Amino acid sequence: EAGVAQSPRYKIIEKRQSVAFWCNPISGHATLYWYQQILGQGPKLLIQFQNNGVVDDSQLPKDRFSAERLKGVDSTLKIQPAKLEDSAVYLCASSSIRVGNEQFFGPGTRLTVL
Amino acid sequence: GNSVTQMEGPVTLSEEAFLTINCTYTATGYPSLFWYVQYPGEGLQLLLKATKADDKGSNKGFEATYRKETTSFHLEKGSVQVSDSAVYFCALRTRILDVIIQGAQKLVFGQGTRLTINP
């Protein structure tokens, strides 16, 4: 079974530019999560989708971050405009009630904002 | 709110040494507890979990016991190997019944502990 796929793996941009990340969850997983992992910290949930609906986006900085999962499968996370403090690894995870809601993580996208 | 506190790293040990990484938590309700491991260049992987008090999770020689009275979930291994070098994260997740009230089943992570094992 293929794991969670993310792209790109690395991205370097200048502040005030825009960037987008893509995630393809494990097939059949209804729940998709985006986490932000700043260097030296644990991952922090940004947004959680159940199929194509948002369950929790309480920690998403909505003035600059947006995410969508239009068809309930893959998802994109966008930052516009980026700030220096957005430098982090962005992790995507997916889960299914069929496997006890265990979250499976992708390799992450490392974003550097200069 | 819910939170997890881990012992600060980095931790450096010799091969075959005994490992303990401390983890304590604060949570409403009765959370499930997890240890995740992140090897260099890879994503997070679930190492072990426990879903109720006094449960012991174990995997790959690692184990941790859910201690409700001390709100702890310390990770231990009797004899570490060089291949155990990684970053370890303790995490909690609220129970389904709590989720219905709170609306989401997110993982709350500690800050991570970097472990280096020297041959």
Side-chain angles (χ1 to χ4, degrees):
Chain A
E1 180 181 76
V4 177
Q6 290 188 248
S7 67
R9 291 295 307 275
Y10 305 91
K11 190 73 177 178
I12 301 174
I13 62 172
E14 295 188 350
K15 60 183 179 183
R16 291 188 290 273
Q17 286 188 319
S18 302
V19 65
F21 313 126
W22 175 81
C23 171
N24 192 27
I26 293 173
S27 177
H29 281 198
T31 310
L32 185 147
Y33 313 78
W34 283 102
Y35 289 86
Q36 180 192 56
Q37 185 180 9
I38 293 172
L39 186 65
Q41 299 181 18
K44 181 186 77 173
L45 181 73
L46 292 176
I47 189 167
Q48 176 184 343
F49 291 94
Q50 183 73 18
N51 296 306
N52 61 352
V54 175
V55 175
D56 184 355
D57 63 357
S58 58
Q59 297 192 87
L60 186 75
K62 299 181 185 64
D63 57 333
R64 298 185 299 107
F65 286 65
S66 64
E68 60 184 17
R69 192 185 185 200
L70 293 175
K71 296 182 181 178
V73 181
D74 57 349
S75 175
T76 55
L77 176 69
K78 297 179 181 178
I79 308 175
Q80 179 179 11
K83 293 185 175 181
L84 296 177
E85 60 260 36
D86 298 332
S87 294
V89 176
Y90 291 85
L91 296 168
C92 180
S94 69
S95 68
S96 169
I97 197 167
R98 292 181 289 109
V99 286
N101 279 318
E102 176 185 338
Q103 294 186 28
F104 294 84
F105 285 81
T109 297
R110 182 177 297 278
L111 173 67
T112 301
V113 182
L114 302 176
Chain B
N2 297 340
S3 66
V4 175
T5 302
Q6 288 181 235
M7 69 184 285
E8 291 198 18
V11 173
T12 303
L13 297 171
S14 297
E15 205 165 22
E16 300 183 3
F18 184 85
L19 168 71
T20 299
I21 300 178
N22 289 340
C23 170
T24 57
Y25 68 90
T26 302
T28 55
Y30 302 94
S32 295
L33 301 173
F34 303 82
W35 277 100
Y36 280 82
V37 58
Q38 189 172 36
Y39 297 105
E42 299 184 16
L44 287 165
Q45 301 175 25
L46 178 64
L47 180 60
L48 53 84
K49 67 179 181 182
T51 57
K52 62 182 186 298
D54 300 324
D55 269 2
K56 177 184 284 188
S58 61
N59 186 25
K60 299 182 181 179
F62 291 89
E63 58 183 34
T65 301
Y66 189 149
R67 300 286 188 202
K68 186 169 180 288
E69 64 276 14
T70 55
T71 61
S72 65
F73 193 55
H74 304 322
L75 182 68
E76 296 181 338
K77 187 174 185 180
S79 176
V80 292
Q81 306 300 313
V82 172
S83 57
D84 294 327
S85 297
V87 181
Y88 292 80
F89 293 92
C90 186
L92 67 81
R93 188 183 72 196
T94 50
R95 272 194 329 170
I96 291 291
L97 289 179
D98 299 323
V99 166
I100 293 172
I101 297 170
Q102 297 173 26
Q105 199 178 20
K106 64 184 179 186
L107 285 167
V108 175
F109 288 88
Q111 75 272 30
T113 302
R114 181 175 297 279
L115 173 67
T116 302
I117 307 300
N118 294 322

